[in-house]
Amino acid sequence: LTSSPASPGLYVVHIAAEMAPVAKVGGLGDVVTGLSKALQKKGHLVEIILPKYDCMQYNRVRDLRALDVTVESYFDGKLFQNKVWVGTVEGLPVYFIEPHHPNKFFWRGQYYGEHDDFKRFSFFSRAALELLLQAGKKPDIIHCHDWQTAFVAPLYWDLYAPKGLNSARICFTCHNFEYQGTASATELASCGLDVPQLNRPDRMQDNSAHDRVNPVKGAIVFSNIVTTVSPTYAQEVRTAEGGRGLHSTLNFHSKKFMGILNGIDTDAWNPTTDIFLKVQYSANELQGKAENKAAMRRHLGLLSADDQQPLVGCITRLVPQKGVHLIRHAIYRTLEMGGQFVLLGSSPVAHIQREFEGIANQFQNHEHIRLILKYDESLSHYIYAASDMFIIPSIFEPCGLTQMIAMRYGSVPIARKTGGLNDSVFDVDDDTIPHQFRNGFTFTTPDEQGVNGAFERAFNLYKNNQKSWQQLVRNDMNIDFSWDSSASQYEELYAKSVARARAAAIHT
Ligand code: ADP
C-alpha cells in the first residue's frame, strides 16, 4: 500500500459516499472536496476514501491505478477481498475501494436508492477502516459524513482501536438530519458490530422504534466531534420540531456538537473566469452581467424589449424541503408584478415532477416565464449570471449553496429565514444588522404572504432605486464565501480534539 508522506500539519482522512466532481449527488460531495482542498492549502495532509462506483465520472480522476495488494474485510460472517485504487481528484489523493463481493455493491449504475444501502455502506465503512489498519496509517482525524459512513464511529472504537488503529479522533458531519438510515437492529451484525451491545437507548437504538438502529445516532454517540452545516440548523435540530427524533441525543451530547457554515468552491463559481457564460464580468464591470441577461433571454425566447424588467432565477431540486408550493407561487407572483422567471430544476418525486411539467407546458411559449425541468450544470452557471434576483423559499435548509453562488454572480437572494439561509442572507431592511452585512431579502413565515412581502420590497428597490440596487449587487459579489474561514473552524476543532487526546495519553 502507498505510504503517507510526513507532514507538519494534521493528517486527516475523510471517509465518504460522495466527492465532487467524481461522485456527486448533492451538497455532501461539494463539502468533501471544498473542505479537503482548503485544509490541504493550510498545510495538512488530507486523503479521501470513496467506494469505487461504476457510475463515477472517471474522466475527472487523474492517474488512476490499482494497488498490488488487496485488503481483506469482514462481512456477514465471511472475509472478502477488496481491490484498492488510488488516483488524484482536484489535486487530492483519493482511495477507491472495489469490493470483490458477489453482490457487486457499488456496481449498480446509481449512488443511492438500492434495497441494500444499509449493507452496502456499512460494508464500505468497515473496509475503509481495514484499509487504514492494513496500510499502517496513523491519521490524527478520521472524518465521516452522513449516515452512509456513520458506521465508522462505532466500528472504530469497538473493533479498530483495539486492533491498533488508535491514533485518530473521530469527527462526524451530518449534512441533513432528514436522512438517518435506520434499519432493523439485526442488520448491524453484517459489518461485525455487536447488536445487543449497540441496540441500547444510550447507543445506537432509534429513539422512536426500539427494534431499529440509527447510524446517525450511533455517530453522534461515538464520535469525538459532531458537526452540522450551519449554526442556525445546529440550533434547529436540537428542538423537537427540527431534530427528526434526534434532538434529545444532540442535546445530551451538545458539548461536542457545533454548526459550521459551508463555503463554496470559488474557483468553480467565479464570474470573472466562468467559461459557461456568454460574457465574463466582475463587480466593477456589471455591463457584462447585463449582456448575459440579454443573451439568456434570447436563448430562452423570453421578451427582451424592456431592459429594466427584473429576471428572477431559481435552481433547485424540486423536493418538499425546498418549498415547492412557494416556488410555484413565486412564478405567478413574478408575472403579476411584471417580472420574468426562469426555473431550472428536476424532481425525484413523481407527482411534483408531473405538476411542474404541467406548469412548464402552460408557459411553453410565454414571453416572461420559462421552466427547464432537468439537471444542467452549464445552464445553471448561465442562470446565476443572468438573473437579477434568486428565490430560495425553503421549509428547512441545513446550509444551502445556491444563495451563496447567486450572490457571487450578483443575483440578489430572496430567502426564507431558516438554517444556513439565516446565516448567510441578511435583509436590507433589518436595522438589527450592520449595513455592510445586509445582502438580500428575507421572510419568516413559509407561506404566500411571506414570499409576497419580500418580493414587493425587492421589486420596489429594483424598479425605483437602480443606484442602490447596483450597489447591493456589487456588495454581494464581493462577499467572501470561500472555504477559508469555515476550514479554519474545522481545523480548530480537529486540533483541540487531538490536543485533548494527547494530554489524556500523557496522564495515563
Ligand atoms: P441540496 O444539496 O439540498 O440540493 P444545495 O443548495 O446545498 O442544495 O446545493 C444545490 C447544488 O445543486 C447547487 O450547486 C445548485 O446549483 C445545483 N443544482 C440544483 N439543481 C440543479 C439543476 N437542475 N441543474 C444544475 N444544477 C443544479
Side-chain angles (χ1 to χ4, degrees):
L1 295 173
T2 54
S3 62
S4 319
S7 159
L10 292 168
Y11 175 18
V12 181
V13 176
H14 289 275
I15 302 177
E18 291 183 39
M19 178 188 188
V22 277
K24 173 180 160 173
V25 176
L28 164 62
D30 289 318
V31 174
V32 171
T33 305
L35 175 60
S36 299
K37 273 167 81 172
L39 289 169
Q40 191 187 50
K41 223 161 88 188
K42 288 175 185 289
H44 304 292
L45 172 63
V46 186
E47 294 174 339
I48 295 111
I49 308 180
L50 292 179
K52 187 167 182 287
Y53 300 101
D54 55 348
C55 51
M56 286 193 319
Q57 309 278 304
Y58 282 91
N59 58 346
R60 307 297 287 266
V61 189
R62 270 197 20 233
D63 304 328
L64 184 64
R65 65 191 168 90
L67 299 181
D68 302 334
V69 270
T70 54
V71 165
E72 199 171 56
S73 178
Y74 172 93
F75 202 71
D76 262 346
K78 294 196 200 96
L79 292 172
F80 295 93
Q81 297 297 332
N82 295 277
K83 192 164 176 174
V84 180
W85 300 70
V86 284
T88 307
V89 176
E90 300 277 297
L92 293 158
V94 183
Y95 292 88
F96 298 94
I97 294 184
E98 180 187 357
H100 286 184
H101 188 284
N103 291 351
K104 298 198 177 305
F105 284 140
F106 302 109
W107 224 251
R108 309 280 183 86
Q110 62 176 359
Y111 297 105
Y112 306 133
E114 296 285 303
H115 71 282
D116 56 350
D117 277 0
F118 188 94
K119 290 209 169 196
R120 301 191 307 136
F121 287 105
S122 56
F123 177 102
F124 168 67
S125 297
R126 179 153 186 176
L129 288 172
E130 198 62 54
L131 165 64
L132 295 176
L133 176 71
Q134 291 182 27
K137 287 177 178 281
K138 296 275 171 215
D140 298 305
I141 296 288
I142 298 175
H143 195 150
C144 50
H145 299 264
D146 279 353
W147 78 261
Q148 289 86 354
T149 58
F151 305 97
V152 163
L155 280 168
Y156 180 82
W157 293 113
D158 278 2
L159 298 177
Y160 283 83
K163 287 183 192 216
L165 176 65
N166 55 8
S167 58
R169 303 274 97 188
I170 307 294
C171 179
F172 171 68
T173 298
C174 186
H175 299 254
N176 191 337
F177 281 92
E178 178 118 307
Y179 309 108
Q180 299 178 7
T182 58
S184 164
T186 51
E187 293 217 18
L188 206 53
S190 302
C191 67
L193 284 169
D194 186 331
V195 177
Q197 275 302 310
L198 290 170
N199 188 22
R200 290 173 25 170
D202 58 338
R203 297 191 180 160
M204 284 185 82
Q205 186 175 86
D206 189 61
N207 290 339
S208 49
H210 296 169
D211 54 346
R212 295 177 76 76
V213 283
N214 183 325
V216 171
K217 179 174 166 183
I220 295 167
V221 172
F222 283 91
S223 297
N224 303 97
I225 305 165
V226 179
T227 72
T228 189
V229 290
S230 70
T232 297
Y233 188 56
Q235 291 301 319
E236 290 168 354
V237 293
R238 289 180 58 180
T239 66
E241 308 79 61
R244 300 290 191 271
L246 284 176
H247 58 286
S248 56
T249 310
L250 288 166
N251 282 321
F252 188 81
H253 292 278
S254 63
K255 278 209 180 77
K256 61 181 175 186
F257 179 52
M258 188 178 167
I260 299 178
L261 194 70
N262 288 337
I264 56 170
D265 185 336
T266 46
D267 299 329
W269 297 109
N270 183 353
T272 65
T273 56
D274 194 325
I275 51 163
F276 295 119
L277 308 189
K278 178 87 179 155
V279 187
Q280 280 112 29
Y281 63 100
S282 70
N284 302 324
E285 191 274 305
L286 289 176
Q287 182 51 31
K289 183 168 173 65
E291 286 173 36
N292 282 302
K293 179 174 167 182
M296 160 76 51
R297 285 164 140 182
R298 279 196 302 276
H299 176 70
L300 295 179
L302 296 175
L303 190 73
S304 27
D306 179 4
D307 257 7
Q308 291 307 310
Q309 191 177 20
L311 180 65
V312 182
C314 180
I315 300 172
T316 187
R317 289 185 297 126
L318 291 164
V319 290
Q321 171 196 336
K322 303 291 180 183
V324 276
H325 59 297
L326 299 179
I327 293 172
R328 186 186 57 212
H329 173 71
I331 297 171
Y332 293 100
R333 188 73 193 133
T334 300
L335 194 57
E336 283 166 12
M337 297 196 342
Q340 294 184 319
F341 199 103
V342 176
L343 171 92
L344 174 63
S346 62
S347 185
V349 185
H351 75 91
I352 299 179
Q353 180 74 16
R354 268 199 308 276
E355 181 190 348
F356 276 79
E357 277 165 5
I359 305 172
N361 289 338
Q362 179 192 346
F363 289 115
Q364 205 169 23
N365 296 311
H366 198 276
E367 293 175 334
H368 301 302
I369 310 285
R370 198 64 75 242
L371 275 66
I372 304 128
L373 301 180
K374 60 174 180 181
Y375 187 94
D376 187 331
E377 176 81 23
S378 60
L379 187 58
S380 78
H381 286 243
Y382 204 2
I383 295 174
Y384 286 118
S387 55
D388 299 296
M389 304 170 193
F390 198 90
I391 173 90
I392 316 125
S394 301
I395 306 305
F396 75 95
E397 192 62 76
C399 177
L401 299 174
T402 61
Q403 77 278 17
M404 301 190 215
I405 302 170
M407 284 190 257
R408 183 139 168 89
Y409 284 73
S411 182
V412 177
I414 301 172
R416 168 142 190 271
K417 272 170 91 62
T418 181
L421 296 168
N422 186 52
D423 297 321
S424 54
V425 185
F426 306 105
D427 199 288
V428 295
D429 296 320
D430 186 345
D431 293 334
T432 66
I433 306 271
H435 266 287
Q436 71 269 29
F437 297 125
R438 301 187 201 172
N439 55 16
F441 297 87
T442 63
F443 58 97
T444 307
T445 51
D447 56 21
E448 297 183 357
Q449 286 70 34
V451 173
N452 291 352
F455 252 59
E456 267 147 40
R457 289 185 298 117
F459 270 64
N460 194 21
L461 187 70
Y462 183 90
K463 289 192 167 165
N464 301 324
N465 195 343
Q466 260 300 314
K467 200 158 160 255
S468 297
W469 185 270
Q470 299 272 325
Q471 190 52 47
L472 179 60
V473 168
R474 269 193 290 276
N475 284 353
D476 282 7
M477 290 184 72
N478 286 326
I479 300 172
D480 179 6
F481 286 116
S482 71
W483 266 99
D484 284 351
S485 83
S486 308
S488 298
Q489 293 180 59
Y490 277 102
E491 190 179 31
E492 196 181 320
L493 284 181
Y494 292 164
K496 274 193 187 146
S497 184
V498 168
R500 264 198 306 274
R502 289 191 184 143
I506 291 168
H507 290 111
T508 50

mmCIF file with all atom_site columns, all heavy atoms in Angstrom, residues 115-130:
data_model
loop_
_atom_site.group_PDB
_atom_site.id
_atom_site.type_symbol
_atom_site.label_atom_id
_atom_site.label_alt_id
_atom_site.label_comp_id
_atom_site.label_asym_id
_atom_site.label_entity_id
_atom_site.label_seq_id
_atom_site.pdbx_PDB_ins_code
_atom_site.Cartn_x
_atom_site.Cartn_y
_atom_site.Cartn_z
_atom_site.occupancy
_atom_site.B_iso_or_equiv
_atom_site.pdbx_formal_charge
_atom_site.auth_seq_id
_atom_site.auth_comp_id
_atom_site.auth_asym_id
_atom_site.auth_atom_id
_atom_site.pdbx_PDB_model_num
ATOM 1   N N   . HIS A 1 115 ? -31.947 -1.433 -2.545 1.00 0.00 ? 115 HIS A N   1
ATOM 2   C CA  . HIS A 1 115 ? -32.642 -2.054 -1.410 1.00 0.00 ? 115 HIS A CA  1
ATOM 3   C C   . HIS A 1 115 ? -31.669 -2.389 -0.276 1.00 0.00 ? 115 HIS A C   1
ATOM 4   O O   . HIS A 1 115 ? -32.055 -2.476 0.882  1.00 0.00 ? 115 HIS A O   1
ATOM 5   C CB  . HIS A 1 115 ? -33.364 -3.328 -1.870 1.00 0.00 ? 115 HIS A CB  1
ATOM 6   C CG  . HIS A 1 115 ? -32.414 -4.449 -2.187 1.00 0.00 ? 115 HIS A CG  1
ATOM 7   N ND1 . HIS A 1 115 ? -31.704 -4.491 -3.378 1.00 0.00 ? 115 HIS A ND1 1
ATOM 8   C CD2 . HIS A 1 115 ? -32.012 -5.521 -1.461 1.00 0.00 ? 115 HIS A CD2 1
ATOM 9   C CE1 . HIS A 1 115 ? -30.926 -5.560 -3.370 1.00 0.00 ? 115 HIS A CE1 1
ATOM 10  N NE2 . HIS A 1 115 ? -31.086 -6.201 -2.226 1.00 0.00 ? 115 HIS A NE2 1
ATOM 11  N N   . ASP A 1 116 ? -30.388 -2.564 -0.609 1.00 0.00 ? 116 ASP A N   1
ATOM 12  C CA  . ASP A 1 116 ? -29.417 -2.963 0.412  1.00 0.00 ? 116 ASP A CA  1
ATOM 13  C C   . ASP A 1 116 ? -28.424 -1.841 0.747  1.00 0.00 ? 116 ASP A C   1
ATOM 14  O O   . ASP A 1 116 ? -27.277 -2.097 1.087  1.00 0.00 ? 116 ASP A O   1
ATOM 15  C CB  . ASP A 1 116 ? -28.670 -4.226 -0.045 1.00 0.00 ? 116 ASP A CB  1
ATOM 16  C CG  . ASP A 1 116 ? -27.991 -4.040 -1.408 1.00 0.00 ? 116 ASP A CG  1
ATOM 17  O OD1 . ASP A 1 116 ? -28.258 -3.020 -2.063 1.00 0.00 ? 116 ASP A OD1 1
ATOM 18  O OD2 . ASP A 1 116 ? -27.202 -4.911 -1.798 1.00 0.00 ? 116 ASP A OD2 1
ATOM 19  N N   . ASP A 1 117 ? -28.882 -0.594 0.696  1.00 0.00 ? 117 ASP A N   1
ATOM 20  C CA  . ASP A 1 117 ? -27.994 0.541  1.000  1.00 0.00 ? 117 ASP A CA  1
ATOM 21  C C   . ASP A 1 117 ? -27.336 0.396  2.382  1.00 0.00 ? 117 ASP A C   1
ATOM 22  O O   . ASP A 1 117 ? -26.151 0.675  2.542  1.00 0.00 ? 117 ASP A O   1
ATOM 23  C CB  . ASP A 1 117 ? -28.766 1.868  0.947  1.00 0.00 ? 117 ASP A CB  1
ATOM 24  C CG  . ASP A 1 117 ? -28.884 2.410  -0.475 1.00 0.00 ? 117 ASP A CG  1
ATOM 25  O OD1 . ASP A 1 117 ? -28.368 1.759  -1.408 1.00 0.00 ? 117 ASP A OD1 1
ATOM 26  O OD2 . ASP A 1 117 ? -29.500 3.484  -0.654 1.00 0.00 ? 117 ASP A OD2 1
ATOM 27  N N   . PHE A 1 118 ? -28.114 -0.024 3.359  1.00 0.00 ? 118 PHE A N   1
ATOM 28  C CA  . PHE A 1 118 ? -27.565 -0.166 4.716  1.00 0.00 ? 118 PHE A CA  1
ATOM 29  C C   . PHE A 1 118 ? -26.386 -1.133 4.703  1.00 0.00 ? 118 PHE A C   1
ATOM 30  O O   . PHE A 1 118 ? -25.326 -0.863 5.253  1.00 0.00 ? 118 PHE A O   1
ATOM 31  C CB  . PHE A 1 118 ? -28.671 -0.663 5.656  1.00 0.00 ? 118 PHE A CB  1
ATOM 32  C CG  . PHE A 1 118 ? -28.292 -0.667 7.115  1.00 0.00 ? 118 PHE A CG  1
ATOM 33  C CD1 . PHE A 1 118 ? -28.597 0.418  7.932  1.00 0.00 ? 118 PHE A CD1 1
ATOM 34  C CD2 . PHE A 1 118 ? -27.645 -1.765 7.682  1.00 0.00 ? 118 PHE A CD2 1
ATOM 35  C CE1 . PHE A 1 118 ? -28.273 0.408  9.284  1.00 0.00 ? 118 PHE A CE1 1
ATOM 36  C CE2 . PHE A 1 118 ? -27.314 -1.772 9.031  1.00 0.00 ? 118 PHE A CE2 1
ATOM 37  C CZ  . PHE A 1 118 ? -27.628 -0.692 9.830  1.00 0.00 ? 118 PHE A CZ  1
ATOM 38  N N   . LYS A 1 119 ? -26.556 -2.256 4.027  1.00 0.00 ? 119 LYS A N   1
ATOM 39  C CA  . LYS A 1 119 ? -25.483 -3.255 3.962  1.00 0.00 ? 119 LYS A CA  1
ATOM 40  C C   . LYS A 1 119 ? -24.306 -2.758 3.146  1.00 0.00 ? 119 LYS A C   1
ATOM 41  O O   . LYS A 1 119 ? -23.145 -2.921 3.518  1.00 0.00 ? 119 LYS A O   1
ATOM 42  C CB  . LYS A 1 119 ? -25.998 -4.562 3.350  1.00 0.00 ? 119 LYS A CB  1
ATOM 43  C CG  . LYS A 1 119 ? -26.946 -5.296 4.258  1.00 0.00 ? 119 LYS A CG  1
ATOM 44  C CD  . LYS A 1 119 ? -26.899 -6.795 4.022  1.00 0.00 ? 119 LYS A CD  1
ATOM 45  C CE  . LYS A 1 119 ? -27.679 -7.468 5.149  1.00 0.00 ? 119 LYS A CE  1
ATOM 46  N NZ  . LYS A 1 119 ? -27.436 -8.882 5.267  1.00 0.00 ? 119 LYS A NZ  1
ATOM 47  N N   . ARG A 1 120 ? -24.598 -2.140 2.005  1.00 0.00 ? 120 ARG A N   1
ATOM 48  C CA  . ARG A 1 120 ? -23.515 -1.680 1.123  1.00 0.00 ? 120 ARG A CA  1
ATOM 49  C C   . ARG A 1 120 ? -22.619 -0.680 1.840  1.00 0.00 ? 120 ARG A C   1
ATOM 50  O O   . ARG A 1 120 ? -21.395 -0.744 1.773  1.00 0.00 ? 120 ARG A O   1
ATOM 51  C CB  . ARG A 1 120 ? -24.090 -1.004 -0.126 1.00 0.00 ? 120 ARG A CB  1
ATOM 52  C CG  . ARG A 1 120 ? -24.987 -1.892 -0.958 1.00 0.00 ? 120 ARG A CG  1
ATOM 53  C CD  . ARG A 1 120 ? -25.320 -1.298 -2.319 1.00 0.00 ? 120 ARG A CD  1
ATOM 54  N NE  . ARG A 1 120 ? -25.868 0.039  -2.301 1.00 0.00 ? 120 ARG A NE  1
ATOM 55  C CZ  . ARG A 1 120 ? -25.497 1.002  -3.126 1.00 0.00 ? 120 ARG A CZ  1
ATOM 56  N NH1 . ARG A 1 120 ? -24.583 0.802  -4.038 1.00 0.00 ? 120 ARG A NH1 1
ATOM 57  N NH2 . ARG A 1 120 ? -26.063 2.196  -3.059 1.00 0.00 ? 120 ARG A NH2 1
ATOM 58  N N   . PHE A 1 121 ? -23.246 0.262  2.540  1.00 0.00 ? 121 PHE A N   1
ATOM 59  C CA  . PHE A 1 121 ? -22.434 1.325  3.131  1.00 0.00 ? 121 PHE A CA  1
ATOM 60  C C   . PHE A 1 121 ? -21.823 0.917  4.476  1.00 0.00 ? 121 PHE A C   1
ATOM 61  O O   . PHE A 1 121 ? -20.763 1.432  4.838  1.00 0.00 ? 121 PHE A O   1
ATOM 62  C CB  . PHE A 1 121 ? -23.234 2.629  3.209  1.00 0.00 ? 121 PHE A CB  1
ATOM 63  C CG  . PHE A 1 121 ? -23.397 3.251  1.842  1.00 0.00 ? 121 PHE A CG  1
ATOM 64  C CD1 . PHE A 1 121 ? -24.599 3.186  1.168  1.00 0.00 ? 121 PHE A CD1 1
ATOM 65  C CD2 . PHE A 1 121 ? -22.313 3.841  1.211  1.00 0.00 ? 121 PHE A CD2 1
ATOM 66  C CE1 . PHE A 1 121 ? -24.733 3.722  -0.103 1.00 0.00 ? 121 PHE A CE1 1
ATOM 67  C CE2 . PHE A 1 121 ? -22.427 4.389  -0.070 1.00 0.00 ? 121 PHE A CE2 1
ATOM 68  C CZ  . PHE A 1 121 ? -23.643 4.329  -0.726 1.00 0.00 ? 121 PHE A CZ  1
ATOM 69  N N   . SER A 1 122 ? -22.462 -0.014 5.196  1.00 0.00 ? 122 SER A N   1
ATOM 70  C CA  . SER A 1 122 ? -21.779 -0.492 6.411  1.00 0.00 ? 122 SER A CA  1
ATOM 71  C C   . SER A 1 122 ? -20.571 -1.341 5.993  1.00 0.00 ? 122 SER A C   1
ATOM 72  O O   . SER A 1 122 ? -19.507 -1.289 6.613  1.00 0.00 ? 122 SER A O   1
ATOM 73  C CB  . SER A 1 122 ? -22.738 -1.242 7.339  1.00 0.00 ? 122 SER A CB  1
ATOM 74  O OG  . SER A 1 122 ? -23.367 -2.306 6.685  1.00 0.00 ? 122 SER A OG  1
ATOM 75  N N   . PHE A 1 123 ? -20.716 -2.073 4.901  1.00 0.00 ? 123 PHE A N   1
ATOM 76  C CA  . PHE A 1 123 ? -19.576 -2.825 4.344  1.00 0.00 ? 123 PHE A CA  1
ATOM 77  C C   . PHE A 1 123 ? -18.434 -1.857 4.020  1.00 0.00 ? 123 PHE A C   1
ATOM 78  O O   . PHE A 1 123 ? -17.281 -2.048 4.405  1.00 0.00 ? 123 PHE A O   1
ATOM 79  C CB  . PHE A 1 123 ? -19.993 -3.556 3.067  1.00 0.00 ? 123 PHE A CB  1
ATOM 80  C CG  . PHE A 1 123 ? -18.854 -4.297 2.391  1.00 0.00 ? 123 PHE A CG  1
ATOM 81  C CD1 . PHE A 1 123 ? -18.727 -5.667 2.530  1.00 0.00 ? 123 PHE A CD1 1
ATOM 82  C CD2 . PHE A 1 123 ? -17.907 -3.614 1.628  1.00 0.00 ? 123 PHE A CD2 1
ATOM 83  C CE1 . PHE A 1 123 ? -17.670 -6.350 1.924  1.00 0.00 ? 123 PHE A CE1 1
ATOM 84  C CE2 . PHE A 1 123 ? -16.846 -4.291 1.022  1.00 0.00 ? 123 PHE A CE2 1
ATOM 85  C CZ  . PHE A 1 123 ? -16.735 -5.657 1.173  1.00 0.00 ? 123 PHE A CZ  1
ATOM 86  N N   . PHE A 1 124 ? -18.775 -0.791 3.290  1.00 0.00 ? 124 PHE A N   1
ATOM 87  C CA  . PHE A 1 124 ? -17.760 0.182  2.870  1.00 0.00 ? 124 PHE A CA  1
ATOM 88  C C   . PHE A 1 124 ? -17.078 0.831  4.084  1.00 0.00 ? 124 PHE A C   1
ATOM 89  O O   . PHE A 1 124 ? -15.850 0.997  4.104  1.00 0.00 ? 124 PHE A O   1
ATOM 90  C CB  . PHE A 1 124 ? -18.399 1.251  1.976  1.00 0.00 ? 124 PHE A CB  1
ATOM 91  C CG  . PHE A 1 124 ? -17.510 2.431  1.738  1.00 0.00 ? 124 PHE A CG  1
ATOM 92  C CD1 . PHE A 1 124 ? -16.337 2.304  1.001  1.00 0.00 ? 124 PHE A CD1 1
ATOM 93  C CD2 . PHE A 1 124 ? -17.828 3.684  2.265  1.00 0.00 ? 124 PHE A CD2 1
ATOM 94  C CE1 . PHE A 1 124 ? -15.485 3.399  0.795  1.00 0.00 ? 124 PHE A CE1 1
ATOM 95  C CE2 . PHE A 1 124 ? -16.989 4.782  2.066  1.00 0.00 ? 124 PHE A CE2 1
ATOM 96  C CZ  . PHE A 1 124 ? -15.814 4.628  1.334  1.00 0.00 ? 124 PHE A CZ  1
ATOM 97  N N   . SER A 1 125 ? -17.876 1.201  5.091  1.00 0.00 ? 125 SER A N   1
ATOM 98  C CA  . SER A 1 125 ? -17.302 1.857  6.280  1.00 0.00 ? 125 SER A CA  1
ATOM 99  C C   . SER A 1 125 ? -16.240 0.959  6.910  1.00 0.00 ? 125 SER A C   1
ATOM 100 O O   . SER A 1 125 ? -15.151 1.408  7.278  1.00 0.00 ? 125 SER A O   1
ATOM 101 C CB  . SER A 1 125 ? -18.395 2.142  7.313  1.00 0.00 ? 125 SER A CB  1
ATOM 102 O OG  . SER A 1 125 ? -19.343 3.041  6.780  1.00 0.00 ? 125 SER A OG  1
ATOM 103 N N   . ARG A 1 126 ? -16.563 -0.343 7.000  1.00 0.00 ? 126 ARG A N   1
ATOM 104 C CA  . ARG A 1 126 ? -15.600 -1.248 7.619  1.00 0.00 ? 126 ARG A CA  1
ATOM 105 C C   . ARG A 1 126 ? -14.378 -1.456 6.724  1.00 0.00 ? 126 ARG A C   1
ATOM 106 O O   . ARG A 1 126 ? -13.240 -1.476 7.217  1.00 0.00 ? 126 ARG A O   1
ATOM 107 C CB  . ARG A 1 126 ? -16.262 -2.598 7.932  1.00 0.00 ? 126 ARG A CB  1
ATOM 108 C CG  . ARG A 1 126 ? -15.257 -3.540 8.549  1.00 0.00 ? 126 ARG A CG  1
ATOM 109 C CD  . ARG A 1 126 ? -15.839 -4.581 9.431  1.00 0.00 ? 126 ARG A CD  1
ATOM 110 N NE  . ARG A 1 126 ? -14.728 -5.317 10.061 1.00 0.00 ? 126 ARG A NE  1
ATOM 111 C CZ  . ARG A 1 126 ? -14.853 -6.244 10.956 1.00 0.00 ? 126 ARG A CZ  1
ATOM 112 N NH1 . ARG A 1 126 ? -16.053 -6.585 11.378 1.00 0.00 ? 126 ARG A NH1 1
ATOM 113 N NH2 . ARG A 1 126 ? -13.803 -6.835 11.485 1.00 0.00 ? 126 ARG A NH2 1
ATOM 114 N N   . ALA A 1 127 ? -14.596 -1.611 5.421  1.00 0.00 ? 127 ALA A N   1
ATOM 115 C CA  . ALA A 1 127 ? -13.470 -1.827 4.506  1.00 0.00 ? 127 ALA A CA  1
ATOM 116 C C   . ALA A 1 127 ? -12.517 -0.625 4.528  1.00 0.00 ? 127 ALA A C   1
ATOM 117 O O   . ALA A 1 127 ? -11.298 -0.782 4.431  1.00 0.00 ? 127 ALA A O   1
ATOM 118 C CB  . ALA A 1 127 ? -13.992 -2.073 3.092  1.00 0.00 ? 127 ALA A CB  1
ATOM 119 N N   . ALA A 1 128 ? -13.068 0.583  4.676  1.00 0.00 ? 128 ALA A N   1
ATOM 120 C CA  . ALA A 1 128 ? -12.220 1.786  4.710  1.00 0.00 ? 128 ALA A CA  1
ATOM 121 C C   . ALA A 1 128 ? -11.317 1.770  5.945  1.00 0.00 ? 128 ALA A C   1
ATOM 122 O O   . ALA A 1 128 ? -10.119 2.081  5.872  1.00 0.00 ? 128 ALA A O   1
ATOM 123 C CB  . ALA A 1 128 ? -13.095 3.033  4.701  1.00 0.00 ? 128 ALA A CB  1
ATOM 124 N N   . LEU A 1 129 ? -11.888 1.365  7.089  1.00 0.00 ? 129 LEU A N   1
ATOM 125 C CA  . LEU A 1 129 ? -11.064 1.282  8.304  1.00 0.00 ? 129 LEU A CA  1
ATOM 126 C C   . LEU A 1 129 ? -10.023 0.176  8.167  1.00 0.00 ? 129 LEU A C   1
ATOM 127 O O   . LEU A 1 129 ? -8.878  0.306  8.611  1.00 0.00 ? 129 LEU A O   1
ATOM 128 C CB  . LEU A 1 129 ? -11.954 1.043  9.528  1.00 0.00 ? 129 LEU A CB  1
ATOM 129 C CG  . LEU A 1 129 ? -12.791 2.242  9.953  1.00 0.00 ? 129 LEU A CG  1
ATOM 130 C CD1 . LEU A 1 129 ? -13.782 1.856  11.051 1.00 0.00 ? 129 LEU A CD1 1
ATOM 131 C CD2 . LEU A 1 129 ? -11.905 3.398  10.429 1.00 0.00 ? 129 LEU A CD2 1
ATOM 132 N N   . GLU A 1 130 ? -10.428 -0.912 7.536  1.00 0.00 ? 130 GLU A N   1
ATOM 133 C CA  . GLU A 1 130 ? -9.495  -2.036 7.317  1.00 0.00 ? 130 GLU A CA  1
ATOM 134 C C   . GLU A 1 130 ? -8.319  -1.569 6.447  1.00 0.00 ? 130 GLU A C   1
ATOM 135 O O   . GLU A 1 130 ? -7.160  -1.908 6.709  1.00 0.00 ? 130 GLU A O   1
ATOM 136 C CB  . GLU A 1 130 ? -10.271 -3.169 6.641  1.00 0.00 ? 130 GLU A CB  1
ATOM 137 C CG  . GLU A 1 130 ? -9.630  -4.521 6.706  1.00 0.00 ? 130 GLU A CG  1
ATOM 138 C CD  . GLU A 1 130 ? -9.448  -5.055 8.134  1.00 0.00 ? 130 GLU A CD  1
ATOM 139 O OE1 . GLU A 1 130 ? -10.433 -5.117 8.891  1.00 0.00 ? 130 GLU A OE1 1
ATOM 140 O OE2 . GLU A 1 130 ? -8.301  -5.397 8.461  1.00 0.00 ? 130 GLU A OE2 1
#
